[in-house]
């Protein structure tokens, strides 16, 4: 399996922390029938105690459900056998299961979440629970071991899915042959949409990681796009668009809007310069540091802006005595930010040209 | 110093889903209420102290892979902020203490900038 050279370990630690919560989530998602043991040894009410004892010893089990013509009628465990022996010694080995089985049954349904089974384990202190199907027939048994195994398998599948996504995506540029392959991601950002603020940047960051980008680079792109995204939300009248063009050796991000434009770009670039209104400053924006952060993160930055140019439209009303005036700004205004990131040979998204990336596990 | 020890020593309330905080060791601390200063100053896996509690702190923390955000002065976030933090696996911690006090205590515990 190919892997990233540096921070794979870091990422594993990160993931490990996430899995604690993921396991809890899975306890609600996974159904009892997905983890239970189906192949259950059963006995009938007429089975002799001696035969149960032999079955337990041979199958290395400590309990079995008692089934009478498809119907679940009880459960017999090693404790019940001990009770039988203590009661009347060896003669009781000739007694039958119906004399010693427990008929108070603790069951879960096949369709219950395993969290239900876990709750019952905690409440009853039992070691195994009987699982019944929709018709009330025995479908299997479930132990804490089954649950642990089921959770671990599901978590493993989670990791594999993410790895598979990462693996597939990371071969994109090798698998598709063209003179120049690029991948374009587009996002529309709505004005004043603080709730989704940062969604585009985190999706872009995730996409880059899946494509096999160096985490440091993914983070730099994430920070730069975040600042540009928030500027669209805060400053642009109608929001705007983000377009990310990913090539093996470079990433070019265009952020465009249609106004109001920036009057003086050099002034806007000054650390601390901000026109953010007070209610937005209250949210912690408007430090006037966003463009600075972009500058620090990128390898090349190009800002073009056409501020609002005045336009007065006049239409005569009622016999030219009154005029209707409208002052919409002239079209063509807006800001376009182009941010470029250059990938060193060893960071290329195309693995052929990279050095030491394919190192085996 | 693990995040669990920090939570215990400073008596912080964990607002988001519990994780194994003993496995997380923050790399350092940054304090500011201005988001783009945090973007510039906070380090990967660091802690961030702020009295902001609106939804954008989650985006910032997620983008910077911060270990946790400590929200001060009991400025409790709305439920949808906590939900979003859970989705993004961002840990939010709450304390009634002001930023200065929290920073001071973390300094005493040996944590530095970053
Ligand atoms: N897309 C845009 N359209 C119009 N004006 C903009 C745009 N982006 C930035 N500006 C202007 O440039 C100024 C500086 O931007 P910058 O991102 O550096 O700071 P800020 O957004 O005001 O605050 P911060 O980013 O620190 O929260 C803004 O206050 C605004 O006047
Ligand atoms: Mg800004």
């Amino acid at each position: 399996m190919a892997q990233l050279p540096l921070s794979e370990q870091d990422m594993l630690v990160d993931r490990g922390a996430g899995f604690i919560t993921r396991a809890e989530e899975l306890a609600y998602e996974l159904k009892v029938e997905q983890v239970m043991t189906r192949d259950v040894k059963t006995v009938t009410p007429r089975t002799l105690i001696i035969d149960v004892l032999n079955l337990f010893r041979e199958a290395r089990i400590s309990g079995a459900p008692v089934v009478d013509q498809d119907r679940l009628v009880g459960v017999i465990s090693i404790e019940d056998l001990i009770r039988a022996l203590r009661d009347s010694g060896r003669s009781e080995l000739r007694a039958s299961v119906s004399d010693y089985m427990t008929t108070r049954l603790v069951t879960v349904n096949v369709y219950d979440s395993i969290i239900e089974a876990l709750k019952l384990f905690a409440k009853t202190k039992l070691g195994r629970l009987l699982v019944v199907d929709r018709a009330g027939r025995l479908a299997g048994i479930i132990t804490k071991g089954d649950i642990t195994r089921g959770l671990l398998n599901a978590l493993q599948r989670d990791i594999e899915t993410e790895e598979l996504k990462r693996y597939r995506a990371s071969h994109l540029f090798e698998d598709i042959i063209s003179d120049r392959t690029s991948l374009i991601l587009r996002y529309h950002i709505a004005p004043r949409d603080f709730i989704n603020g940062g969604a585009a940047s985190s999706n872009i960051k995730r996409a880059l990681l899946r494509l096999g980008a160096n985490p440091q680079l993914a983070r730099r792109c994430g920070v730069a796009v975040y600042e540009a995204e928030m500027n669209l939300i805060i400053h642009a009248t109608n929001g705007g668009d983000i377009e990310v063009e990913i090539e093996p050796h470079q990433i070019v991000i265009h952020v465009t809007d249609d106004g109001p434009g920036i009057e003086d770009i050099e002034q806007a670039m000054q650390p601390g310069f901000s026109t953010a209104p007070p209610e937005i400053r209250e949210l912690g924006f408007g430090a006037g540091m966003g463009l600075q952060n972009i500058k620090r993160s990128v390898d090349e930055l190009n800002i073009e802006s056409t501020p609002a140019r005045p336009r007065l439209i006049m239409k005569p009303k009622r016999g030219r005595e009154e005029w209707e005036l409208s002052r919409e700004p002239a079209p063509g205004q807006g800001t376009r930010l182009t941010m470029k990131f250059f990938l060193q040979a060893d960071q290329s998204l195309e693995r052929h040209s990279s050095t030491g990336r394919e190192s085996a596990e | 110093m693990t995040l669990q020890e920090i939570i215990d020593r400073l008596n912080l309330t964990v607002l988001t889903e519990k994780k194994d905080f003993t496995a997380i060791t923050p790399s350092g601390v940054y304090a500011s209420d201005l988001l783009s200063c945090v973007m510039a100053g906070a380090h990967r896996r660091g802690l961030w102290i702020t009295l902001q509690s609106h939804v954008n702190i989650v985006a910032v923390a997620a983008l910077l892979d911060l270990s946790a955000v400590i929200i001060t002065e009991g400025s409790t976030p709305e439920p949808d902020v906590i939900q979003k933090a859970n989705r993004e696996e961002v840990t939010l911690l709450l304390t009634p203490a002001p930023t200065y006090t929290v920073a001071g205590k973390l300094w005493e515990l040996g944590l530095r900038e970053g």
Side-chain angles (χ1 to χ4, degrees):
Chain A
M1 175 98 246
Q3 63 178 91
L4 295 168
L6 284 173
S7 343
E8 189 68 10
Q9 188 127 19
D10 290 356
M11 284 191 303
L12 283 174
V13 174
D14 234 14
R15 282 192 206 152
F19 281 166
I20 306 293
T21 355
R22 181 65 185 135
E24 282 170 25
E25 225 173 85
L26 281 169
Y28 286 89
E29 281 172 23
L30 281 179
K31 301 289 174 245
V32 165
E33 62 187 339
Q34 290 174 273
V35 308
M36 69 183 187
T37 307
R38 286 166 196 277
D39 178 25
V40 185
K41 298 263 184 291
T42 60
V43 297
T44 76
R46 288 165 301 283
T47 310
L48 297 180
I49 294 292
I50 177 90
D51 294 331
V52 179
L53 201 58
N54 287 334
L55 171 75
F56 281 13
R57 203 170 43 215
E58 275 157 30
R60 293 173 177 280
I61 54 178
S62 57
V66 185
V67 177
D68 191 9
Q69 285 161 5
D70 246 21
R71 228 161 38 83
L72 180 64
V73 294
V75 58
I76 187 145
S77 70
I78 197 97
E79 287 82 41
D80 299 324
L81 297 186
I82 292 171
R83 195 157 47 84
L85 291 174
R86 200 187 45 208
D87 272 8
S88 22
R90 298 190 63 87
S91 64
E92 278 302 320
L93 293 178
R94 293 284 149 207
S96 59
V97 163
S98 57
D99 300 328
Y100 285 98
M101 68 185 186
T102 310
T103 49
R104 203 176 46 83
L105 298 176
V106 182
T107 60
V108 284
N109 298 302
V110 281
Y111 51 82
D112 283 339
S113 306
I114 62 177
I115 191 80
E116 298 304 327
L118 285 171
K119 283 184 202 154
L120 275 178
F121 279 129
K123 205 168 84 186
T124 63
K125 309 262 185 301
L126 288 171
R128 77 188 76 78
L129 300 170
L130 301 167
V131 184
V132 293
D133 66 13
R134 288 170 176 76
R137 279 182 314 242
L138 179 73
I141 58 168
I142 185 169
T143 63
K144 286 184 195 165
D146 292 330
I147 294 184
T148 312
R149 212 168 314 114
L151 283 176
L152 287 175
N153 286 341
L155 283 175
Q156 184 60 32
R157 279 196 298 278
D158 266 15
I159 303 178
E160 278 163 11
T161 334
E162 177 58 26
E163 267 176 9
L164 195 66
K165 280 180 183 158
R166 203 174 275 233
Y167 179 77
R168 283 202 186 129
S170 66
H171 283 67
L172 189 84
F173 288 103
E174 284 162 54
D175 291 349
I176 294 171
I177 313 289
S178 85
D179 288 340
R180 187 171 168 187
T181 306
S182 68
L183 176 68
I184 297 188
L185 314 178
R186 294 189 178 87
Y187 303 85
H188 178 72
I189 310 300
R192 307 284 151 143
D193 183 8
F194 288 98
I195 302 294
N196 291 309
S201 24
S202 58
N203 285 328
I204 291 167
K205 183 182 163 195
R206 189 170 311 123
L208 289 173
L209 287 173
R210 283 198 178 148
L211 286 165
N214 165 304
Q216 193 58 37
L217 172 84
R219 188 178 131 116
R220 276 166 55 210
C221 288
V223 168
V225 179
Y226 172 83
E227 294 291 358
E229 184 181 357
M230 291 318 301
N231 279 354
L232 291 180
I233 291 175
I234 294 168
H235 306 294
T237 319
N238 302 310
D241 293 286
I242 301 178
E243 186 184 288
V244 186
E245 183 172 10
I246 305 168
E247 289 185 77
H249 299 282
Q250 69 168 17
I251 297 164
V252 179
I253 303 172
H254 298 288
V255 182
T256 42
D257 64 64
D258 59 4
I262 302 174
E263 206 65 58
D264 180 345
I265 298 177
E266 271 164 56
Q267 182 187 42
M269 287 298 304
Q270 291 299 312
F273 176 84
S274 175
T275 58
E279 69 274 14
I280 281 172
R281 285 176 195 252
E282 245 164 54
L283 297 174
F285 298 101
M289 293 299 293
L291 291 171
Q292 276 302 310
N293 285 346
I294 293 177
K295 192 171 124 195
R296 282 189 331 139
S297 307
V298 301
D299 294 318
E300 202 180 294
L301 175 62
N302 174 13
I303 308 178
E304 274 168 59
S305 194
T306 311
R309 281 174 294 132
R311 172 165 79 164
L312 191 60
I313 300 171
M314 286 164 281
K315 285 181 193 147
K317 282 206 285 201
R318 269 197 274 128
R320 299 191 159 261
E321 267 157 41
E322 252 181 80
W323 287 75
E324 186 188 298
L325 303 182
S326 68
R327 293 188 180 78
E328 307 148 22
Q333 65 172 319
T335 303
R336 181 176 174 85
L337 228 75
T338 304
M339 310 186 274
K340 289 190 185 169
F341 299 84
F342 303 120
L343 281 61
Q344 306 299 317
D346 64 336
Q347 297 180 348
S348 163
L349 301 180
E350 196 172 32
R351 279 152 194 258
H352 295 308
S353 52
S354 67
T355 46
R357 280 282 284 289
E358 296 283 5
S359 64
E361 278 274 27
Chain B
M1 167 102 9
T2 70
L3 190 52
Q4 185 62 55
E5 287 173 276
I6 294 171
I7 291 169
D8 294 340
R9 298 283 196 96
L10 273 71
N11 204 3
L12 304 173
T13 310
V14 181
L15 298 174
T16 43
E17 281 168 16
K18 309 273 182 297
K19 293 182 191 171
D20 183 7
F21 296 126
T22 58
I24 303 173
T25 44
S27 58
V29 189
Y30 188 85
S32 174
D33 299 326
L34 295 172
L35 305 189
S36 48
C37 294
V38 181
M39 275 296 189
H43 285 235
R44 191 172 151 78
R45 300 201 201 306
L47 284 175
W48 169 27
I49 318 173
T50 180
L51 59 72
Q52 297 288 357
S53 57
H54 61 85
V55 69
N56 292 97
I57 62 173
V58 176
V60 170
L63 273 168
L64 296 176
D65 305 310
L66 297 183
S67 292
V69 184
I70 304 180
I71 302 169
T72 56
E73 312 225 357
S75 148
T76 312
E78 298 290 322
D80 57 329
V81 175
I82 295 173
Q83 253 177 32
K84 180 164 179 187
N86 281 328
R87 272 204 308 280
E88 301 271 341
E89 292 182 11
V90 166
T91 297
L92 300 181
L93 306 169
L94 183 70
T95 172
T99 297
Y100 180 72
T101 311
V102 173
K105 283 189 178 163
L106 289 174
W107 185 276
E108 272 179 6
L109 291 178
L111 279 115
R112 294 296 178 259
E113 295 98 28

